[in-house]
Each structure stands twice: as C-alpha cells, then as structure tokens.
Amino acid sequence: MEPDRICTGLVLPGGGARGAYQAGALQAIAELAPAGRNPFPVIAGSSVGAINAAALACRAQDFRAGAQDLAEMWGRLEVADVYRTDFGDIMRRGLHWAVALFFGGLGFANPRSLLNNEPLEDFLAREIRMSDIGPAIDAGALRALAISVSSYSRTRAITFFQSCEGPENWERARRDGFRAELDVAHLVASSALPFIFPARQIGDEYYLDGSLRLTAPLSPAIRLGANRILVIGTRHEAPDSPSERPDYPSLGQLSGYLLDVLFMDNLNADIERLERVNATLALLPEERRSETRLEYIAVQAIRPSRDIRRMAAAHFGKLPFNIRMLLRGLGMGGADGQLPSYLMFVPAFTRELIELGYGDAMAQRDELARFLGFDDGG
C-alpha cells in the first residue's frame, strides 16, 4: 500500500457504560500521536461508540484536546445524566410492564422501555457540539463520521454519514448508507439499547441501537474510504470456565448475555473475515489482486485486559437504590455484573475503565505507533 493512499479509520462498537474504556484508550493514543493531528480521518461508531465517535469528530481539529475532553466527560458522568432513577418513574414503568404482561394492557399503550433515557439527550446536547462536524470536514481534519442505527420499519442497518465530497450512498444486504447532517437525535437513536431504552423517532421512522442489525461493523468505515482500521472493543475475550452446577439463567442474565452478543460477536466475526481476505490476497501475485476487486485492509484491535463484568460487580452497591432493586428483580445480584456493566454510569466505575483503557493502549504503544504511522510521520 502506498503511503499517500493510507486512510485510517476508527471503529467504536457499543457497550453502554463500558464506553468509558474507549475514552481511556483514546486518551493514550492522543498522547502518542503528533500534537494537534487527528490520526483518524474516518470515524465510525454504533451505540455508545457513536457518542464517542461524534465527540472526537467534533474536536477533530485538535485530537489531543478532544480525547482529553472525552475522558473528562466520562469521568464525571452520572446515572442521572443518562436515565431517570426516581422511585415514581421506576414504579410506573414496572407497573406498566406488569399490566401489559398479565392483563394484555387493559387498553393502555404498550410499554416502550424498561428505563427512561430522556436525560441523555439533554446531556449530549450540552457536551457535544454536533455543529462542529462540518467545519472539521471543511478544514480537512476529518473525512467522514458514520453513525449506525437499526431501522425498526425497514428491518435494516442504516448508517448515516456526514463527509467530504466523494463518498456516495450505498445499499448492501440489509445495510444501507445515507448522507445526512448528523445531530444529537442520531446519537440517541444509535444508543437505544433494545428493551432498556425506547426507540428514537427521526423523521417518519423509529430507530434502535445501531449494533442490533449491523452484521458487518467494519463496513461503514471501509465504504467511507478507510483502508487501515483500529477497533477499540469493550469485552475481555478470554473464554469463561463452565460452572459445575449452573443455575437456570434469570431474565437479567439473559438480557446481559444478549447485549454481549449484540455488541461484540458480529464485530469479532467481521475482523476474522477481513483477516481471511487479507491472507488470501497475500497468496496472490500482485498482477492478480486487481482481478479480485478486493483490497488489503490492515486491522488492529484494543480490547480490555480484565473482565469488565467482575469490575462492575465490585461497584454494584454504588448504583442508585431503585436501580439495584430493579436489577435484583430481574435476577441480577451484586455477584453478576454483566447487565449492570452496561448501565453503571457511576464515576468510580467509569474512571476505573478509563484507567484500564489507557493502560491497555499504552501496553501496545510501540505496536500502535507502528500501525498508525506515528513513528514514521505517516
């Protein structure tokens, strides 16, 4: 690959409160990168990764300051900034679900979500200036920002992107891309965890979490011109040891399990597909590669070195009382941190994740510097 053709993409998947890990890793990368330079012309995110992606894109003209601001935002984030925790709201929603399940709703509208995330939109509007995306693109500091959502009515993954001239809309197998002027509504829609937060209406459609139907999470960045991709995951990949006498999974455990599948399994499968394509291309003579219509795309991943579920379990008692009672009602006690890890917007937990992300990225500093071209000015 010729150096002047290299376009690095950053892919940020979902993970709820685990998104703080990405903020820490990005803070480390910003310290390694040349001052002021944005090393990621293409930034793509889904779910909470969409929020982090937008925050970086808005500050693309000063990447180091943008990464620092992102880490500070996560460090002060509270549960009440994301969803309501007051007893009245939790009780009303719980009763609504109970009536719908046992009595067919009795003429009431169907419940929309387990939690009310109205505070999130106000928080994002204060913290992220989406109007700065356009100037960053005009200044050449950013090529494209992609935010993926899941269309409820069209049952497709939709990627809304704001970019320089060049990239065109695309249509693939249940994956479409459309040029748009991005705003906070796209971030709220992309982070609408299924069942937990309500779908967000944009125009005439309702949209859900961006990871729900995005079977090829690397695709938006590649479509927008990236030919070298860094991924920052939110799951520790060491396999679990099976329990000798496992209990039947509770509703809360199943919910946490499904979120885990939703956010990371498609991403890992997509990375494996890309690595297989790269391996195949490496076997072909240079003159034959153009006949395949495939391109070698280098990929590097940063993943948590610790099990975030166990970290969350240690902080379970810091969640608001009403949320702890709700989770216990779903069969999630303090010893099981899978579902709580997605909802634990608690500074003690998010700051620990920021430190973990920072440390994991710094542990790969030489490898990252080579991959991102920091050591050769690339």
Side-chain angles (χ1 to χ4, degrees), residues 92-219:
R92 282 194 301 272
R93 288 176 178 274
L95 289 174
H96 196 170
W97 277 100
V99 169
L101 288 171
F102 292 105
F103 303 104
L106 296 177
F108 292 101
N110 290 329
R112 295 189 173 189
S113 63
L114 189 63
L115 296 172
N116 179 351
N117 67 339
E118 287 180 357
L120 178 62
E121 189 157 358
D122 292 335
F123 178 81
L124 295 177
R126 294 194 306 270
E127 296 289 333
I128 302 177
R129 294 178 54 181
M130 299 295 285
S131 59
D132 287 345
I133 297 172
I137 292 172
D138 294 340
L142 181 71
R143 174 179 171 85
L145 170 65
I147 302 299
S148 293
V149 298
S150 299
S151 170
Y152 177 78
S153 57
R154 282 185 277 175
T155 62
R156 304 174 74 87
I158 306 295
T159 296
F160 293 108
F161 66 91
Q162 189 168 342
S163 74
C164 61
E165 294 182 7
E168 299 180 352
N169 295 349
W170 64 83
E171 183 176 345
R172 302 290 288 173
R174 293 200 175 277
R175 291 182 283 114
D176 299 341
F178 297 103
R179 184 181 294 274
E181 186 171 342
L182 298 173
D183 60 26
V184 167
H186 294 96
L187 306 184
V188 175
S190 186
S191 58
L193 295 171
F195 300 109
I196 296 176
F197 297 145
R200 180 62 158 83
Q201 184 175 5
I202 300 176
D204 297 328
E205 289 191 63
Y206 284 96
Y207 296 98
L208 300 165
D209 192 285
S211 301
L212 196 59
R213 285 190 170 272
L214 192 59
T215 56
L218 304 182
S219 176

Side-chain angles (χ1 to χ4, degrees), residues 275-342:
E275 290 174 339
R276 285 198 300 270
V277 169
N278 290 343
T280 300
L281 286 173
L283 297 174
L284 296 176
E286 189 68 36
E287 62 273 13
R288 295 292 304 277
R289 293 185 186 182
S290 59
E291 299 175 13
T292 67
R293 296 172 60 190
L294 299 174
E295 184 178 358
Y296 182 94
I297 299 185
V299 61
Q300 174 84 13
I302 301 173
R303 295 186 174 97
S305 59
R306 293 172 57 193
D307 191 335
I308 292 179
R309 297 171 301 180
R310 292 176 180 167
M311 296 170 62
H315 291 283
F316 185 80
K318 297 181 177 69
L319 279 169
F321 175 80
N322 296 327
I323 301 302
R324 296 201 309 273
M325 294 302 100
L326 176 65
L327 291 173
R328 288 196 173 109
L330 294 173
M332 302 292 292
D336 189 335
Q338 184 140 304
L339 180 58
S341 70
Y342 295 105

